[in-house]
Amino acid sequence: MTQALDRLAARAEIVKLARVLGASEERFEFLQDVPAADIRTLRDQATETLHTAHQPVLRKLVSASGIIPVPVLVTLAQKAFGPLLSARLAGLLDGDRGVAVALKLPAPFLADVAADLDPRRAGHILSALPTATVTDVSRELRRREDWITLGRFVGGVPAEIAEAGLAELNERQVLEVAFVVDDKSSLSALVERQSTARCAAYARAADEYDLWHALFDLFAHLDDTLRTRVVTAGLAEDPELRARAHERAAELGVESLLS
């Protein structure tokens, strides 16, 4: 089963690599048998290259911005810098100033910035944002069906902020996001706090939207007790759904996740 799970992980990494490089997923299908960790390394290297380009100029901009009032910075971000440059600058800003600017920007613009932001560089800002701001941006990203951006932030922010963002998503959308989360060690804690009814709905969403690969990948990152709870909640009362789940698990080579 390890090999089957590795292929699921590689599939998720290919999706994220394609996003970073602005190319189609199909272009990187040849990487399907490459270890997911190696694809992740390539993606991290590409991200690092993009975010460190023109650092001296960016640092000068940040230094100059220190004397500019926040309302003026907000206008500059939207009218002059744009989302991409704003995302690059965010990682260099002081946390309090970054939060002050973010709170005055509209959610659609913040969603644009989030799509180009590296959470590892802006964690000092993201972790200090109020829940209301996170919720507004999550709703906008949900409207755009930008699961990759949402997934990057689930593992990169405190649990309570991630939970606030996921609360805005239905079960299908949670599966889409969970599949592309970078730090999947956080998934158990998030799923554990969800109701049995919602846990049961994940299997139905996987069946309806052909997201079995995402559901099984989620199962693989839950501890045994929690996985048993979610599997039982979703499949115990519906023999037909249970049969389809076992069929798809066999196709993907992950049958033991349902035992």
Side-chain angles (χ1 to χ4, degrees), residues 77-100:
Q78 297 177 85
K79 304 298 184 182
F81 298 157
L84 178 59
L85 183 54
S86 294
R88 299 293 188 267
L89 292 172
L92 301 173
L93 282 175
D94 170 79
D96 290 341
R97 194 162 178 80
V99 170

Side-chain angles (χ1 to χ4, degrees), residues 42-85:
L42 175 60
R43 177 167 63 88
D44 286 344
Q45 290 173 342
T47 300
E48 185 71 15
T49 298
L50 290 170
H51 280 264
T52 56
H54 312 299
Q55 279 285 303
V57 174
L58 294 178
R59 291 189 182 280
K60 288 180 180 179
L61 280 173
V62 169
S63 179
S65 73
I67 61 173
I68 300 175
V70 167
V72 177
L73 274 181
V74 170
T75 299
L76 285 173
Q78 297 177 85
K79 304 298 184 182
F81 298 157
L84 178 59
L85 183 54

Side-chain angles (χ1 to χ4, degrees), residues 22-170:
S24 68
E25 296 169 26
E26 291 74 16
R27 185 173 180 182
F28 300 102
E29 282 299 315
F30 69 92
L31 295 174
Q32 183 62 66
D33 294 321
V34 173
D38 292 343
I39 305 174
R40 170 70 179 269
T41 297
L42 175 60
R43 177 167 63 88
D44 286 344
Q45 290 173 342
T47 300
E48 185 71 15
T49 298
L50 290 170
H51 280 264
T52 56
H54 312 299
Q55 279 285 303
V57 174
L58 294 178
R59 291 189 182 280
K60 288 180 180 179
L61 280 173
V62 169
S63 179
S65 73
I67 61 173
I68 300 175
V70 167
V72 177
L73 274 181
V74 170
T75 299
L76 285 173
Q78 297 177 85
K79 304 298 184 182
F81 298 157
L84 178 59
L85 183 54
S86 294
R88 299 293 188 267
L89 292 172
L92 301 173
L93 282 175
D94 170 79
D96 290 341
R97 194 162 178 80
V99 170
V101 172
L103 291 179
K104 293 184 177 298
L105 288 167
F109 186 81
L110 287 175
D112 291 338
V113 172
D116 290 309
L117 191 65
D118 182 354
R120 298 170 301 179
R121 298 172 183 276
H124 59 301
I125 296 174
L126 298 173
S127 62
L129 289 175
T131 300
T133 301
V134 175
T135 299
D136 288 344
V137 176
S138 296
R139 287 172 178 164
E140 178 62 23
L141 291 170
R142 178 190 63 188
R143 186 187 68 77
R144 302 178 184 188
E145 299 193 344
D146 188 349
W147 316 127
I148 292 176
T149 297
L150 281 165
R152 285 211 314 270
F153 288 92
V154 167
V157 298
E160 59 272 16
I161 294 180
E163 195 168 5
L166 290 179
E168 296 301 313
L169 309 178
N170 62 33

